[in-house]
Amino acid sequence: MREIGIYIHIPFCKKKCYYCDFNSYVGYEHLMEEYVKALIEEIKYYSEEDLKIVSAYIGGGTPNFLPPSYIEMVLSEIHRHYNVLGDAEITIEVNPGLLTEDKLKIYKVNGINRISIGLQAFQNRLLEYIGRIHTVEDFLENYALIRKYFDNVNVDLIYALPTQTFEEWQETLIKVVELKPEHISTYSLILEENTPFGILYRKGKLPVIDEEEELKMYHWGIEFLKSKGYCHYEISNFALPGYQCKHNILYWELKEYLGFGAGAHSYFKGRRWNNFERVEEYIGAILGKGDAREKVIELSAEDEISEFMFMGLRMRKGVCEEEFRKRFGISMFERYEEIFIKYEKMGLIERDKDCVRLTEKGIDVSNVIFEDFLP
């Protein structure tokens, strides 16, 4: 049987954050019911008897903005049409301020076993500045509720926010670690072109953090989280032992997954595709012909080898010869020997027996290194 992951996209938000470039929309509540109908049809469309689901991830948008009865319906269809393994990791993203105990109860009863909550910063002034709808107090209240029902929790954080000080980043991590979540994700702010922050930046009206200060924040976070027992297992992700995110690892190890919903991406049977992004267009395509794929790409062997390398190098364990040879029938070291030697000499890559990984110095320039593995 084929083991895959599932991603379910919920594109609705109460308010769009000023940095957000995700496929999400405000004021579309009137389309929620039709959207869920379309989701269910798409879930049915791809069902196959031999598919084993090892992980499912409900992301957005703001999934907990959707009435919980709809989440219940979607998960029910997943269980009806796919073989969800007993130890499958099933995550839902939530935002503080829109979470209730009733919602959490419904999530739990319907098989969700992991919560990912977006905090971003531990200072109310920063939360307001970046357009979040919640306060730190809302987060703490919601986190306490989550802990009544779930023992696997991730907290999302952003560093290098405009006007954020190094001391505020330190306080954020210290306060979050005191809560003992099993997983912490730390992302540096990316100024996307068509976001409010991106527009302000182009006009020279956004006070940005310089690269040196950003790296200082990142490296301090790594050392601090390690000192508190968190394993740095991927560029932006930290987990207590045994709590690494199965779903994200599936992406980084180039395993197969199906994505359902507006703008969702899939990688399945040697092909990648993405759905139409606009909610109305997605609904129309699914309810009209059962298929919302906008673009389908047949991956060549070269494409898959390239993706395997730069996705795998995101993980701290790196990529290993045995898995590479098993998957592609050739030697990783013969294929990329010149690149490995080049970056080893620069102190950006290190070898450990049959595995290659980025050094901490290499992580700082990872995007430059990844370009050398593009086909």
Side-chain angles (χ1 to χ4, degrees):
M1 295 182 82
R2 208 180 193 105
E3 293 190 349
I4 69 163
I6 281 178
Y7 174 76
I8 301 158
H9 190 68
I10 307 299
F12 307 105
C13 280
K14 185 176 181 180
K15 179 188 176 186
K16 195 101 164 160
C17 300
Y18 302 147
Y19 57 82
C20 180
D21 192 40
F22 293 136
N23 188 42
S24 57
Y25 305 90
V26 175
Y28 277 54
E29 291 88 331
H30 61 288
L31 291 176
M32 285 180 174
E33 185 175 355
E34 284 295 293
Y35 184 79
V36 171
K37 286 180 183 176
L39 262 183
I40 288 170
E41 289 305 309
E42 188 179 23
I43 288 165
K44 292 177 184 176
Y45 182 82
Y46 289 104
S47 64
E48 294 181 18
E49 287 184 6
D50 68 340
L51 293 181
K52 284 185 177 180
I53 307 304
V54 298
S55 69
Y57 194 101
I58 305 171
T62 309
N64 60 310
F65 188 40
L66 198 69
S69 59
Y70 289 147
I71 297 291
E72 188 171 34
M73 289 166 63
V74 169
L75 286 171
S76 176
E77 292 299 320
I78 293 290
H79 282 277
R80 181 174 293 122
H81 295 285
Y82 298 85
N83 179 12
V84 181
L85 298 182
D87 62 348
E89 175 192 88
I90 304 177
T91 304
I92 187 168
E93 287 181 353
V94 300
N95 272 343
L98 295 170
L99 201 57
T100 64
E101 190 158 4
D102 285 342
K103 286 181 181 180
L104 289 166
K105 287 178 181 177
I106 290 172
Y107 299 161
K108 182 78 171 178
V109 167
N110 284 277
I112 291 173
N113 51 30
R114 185 175 183 270
I115 300 287
S116 180
I117 184 166
L119 169 60
Q120 316 314 354
F122 212 87
Q123 297 78 28
N124 284 331
R125 78 156 195 94
L126 278 174
L127 294 176
E128 183 178 359
Y129 188 84
I130 65 178
R132 301 292 287 174
I133 64 169
H134 63 88
T135 63
V136 171
E137 291 74 24
D138 292 331
F139 164 76
L140 290 171
E141 183 180 327
N142 284 180
Y143 187 87
L145 274 181
I146 290 168
R147 278 309 199 190
K148 290 176 65 175
Y149 299 94
F150 294 91
D151 57 10
N152 191 355
V153 179
N154 170 63
V155 178
D156 274 347
L157 303 172
I158 302 177
Y159 62 94
L161 293 166
T163 79
Q164 184 182 38
T165 66
F166 180 70
E167 290 72 25
E168 284 175 324
W169 174 237
Q170 287 180 308
E171 180 187 33
T172 293
L173 277 180
I174 290 167
K175 293 292 187 182
V176 168
V177 166
E178 286 175 359
L179 298 171
K180 299 180 180 176
E182 286 69 31
H183 193 284
I184 297 173
S185 298
T186 66
Y187 302 105
S188 64
L189 179 69
I190 297 174
L191 295 170
E192 302 288 359
E193 188 175 352
N194 294 317
T195 63
F197 272 1
I199 293 166
L200 285 173
Y201 176 69
R202 287 202 310 277
K203 293 179 178 178
K205 295 181 178 179
L206 193 72
V208 295
I209 303 297
D210 65 42
E211 187 177 341
E212 187 177 333
E213 186 74 358
E214 180 180 327
L215 283 174
K216 181 182 172 185
M217 290 179 173
Y218 177 62
H219 287 294
W220 184 86
I222 291 173
E223 294 308 312
F224 174 71
L225 289 170
K226 281 183 179 178
S227 75
K228 298 298 181 180
Y230 287 86
C231 169
H232 184 205
Y233 73 99
E234 191 271 345
I235 290 176
S236 302
N237 287 275
F238 304 80
L240 295 176
Y243 287 96
Q244 291 88 339
C245 178
K246 289 182 182 179
H247 191 78
N248 285 345
I249 290 173
L250 180 140
Y251 292 150
W252 299 320
E253 292 186 342
L254 206 64
K255 303 287 178 65
E256 293 180 313
Y257 59 92
L258 290 171
F260 304 127
H265 288 246
S266 298
Y267 168 58
F268 189 61
K269 295 183 177 179
R271 293 183 296 169
R272 287 198 182 277
W273 65 83
N274 62 281
N275 287 343
F276 292 112
E277 289 194 350
R278 297 294 304 180
V279 175
E280 303 95 327
E281 198 170 2
Y282 167 78
I283 292 172
I286 290 292
L287 299 184
K289 59 179 182 177
D291 185 358
R293 288 176 294 182
E294 181 181 28
K295 186 177 181 182
V296 180
I297 299 172
E298 296 278 350
L299 295 177
S300 66
E302 292 295 312
D303 292 330
E304 294 206 330
I305 288 171
S306 172
E307 289 190 19
F308 182 86
M309 291 302 298
F310 67 74
M311 293 294 281
L313 283 170
R314 289 190 59 89
M315 299 189 66
R316 297 297 288 127
K317 71 176 185 178
V319 289
C320 297
E321 169 75 356
E322 182 180 353
E323 180 61 29
F324 189 92
R325 189 182 287 274
K326 178 181 174 183
R327 187 156 182 166
F328 303 112
I330 56 176
S331 168
M332 174 178 76
F333 291 105
E334 290 176 13
R335 174 68 180 261
Y336 292 112
E337 186 67 16
E338 287 185 17
I339 295 175
F340 292 159
I341 290 172
K342 169 185 169 182
Y343 287 118
E344 271 188 294
K345 287 180 178 177
M346 297 169 69
L348 304 179
I349 273 180
E350 61 186 9
R351 301 194 199 195
D352 177 16
K353 295 181 181 177
D354 288 336
C355 298
V356 174
R357 67 178 62 85
L358 297 181
T359 63
E360 290 203 3
K361 189 176 165 187
I363 290 174
D364 294 343
V365 291
S366 57
N367 287 337
V368 175
I369 296 172
F370 294 160
E371 286 180 9
D372 267 358
F373 293 98
L374 294 175

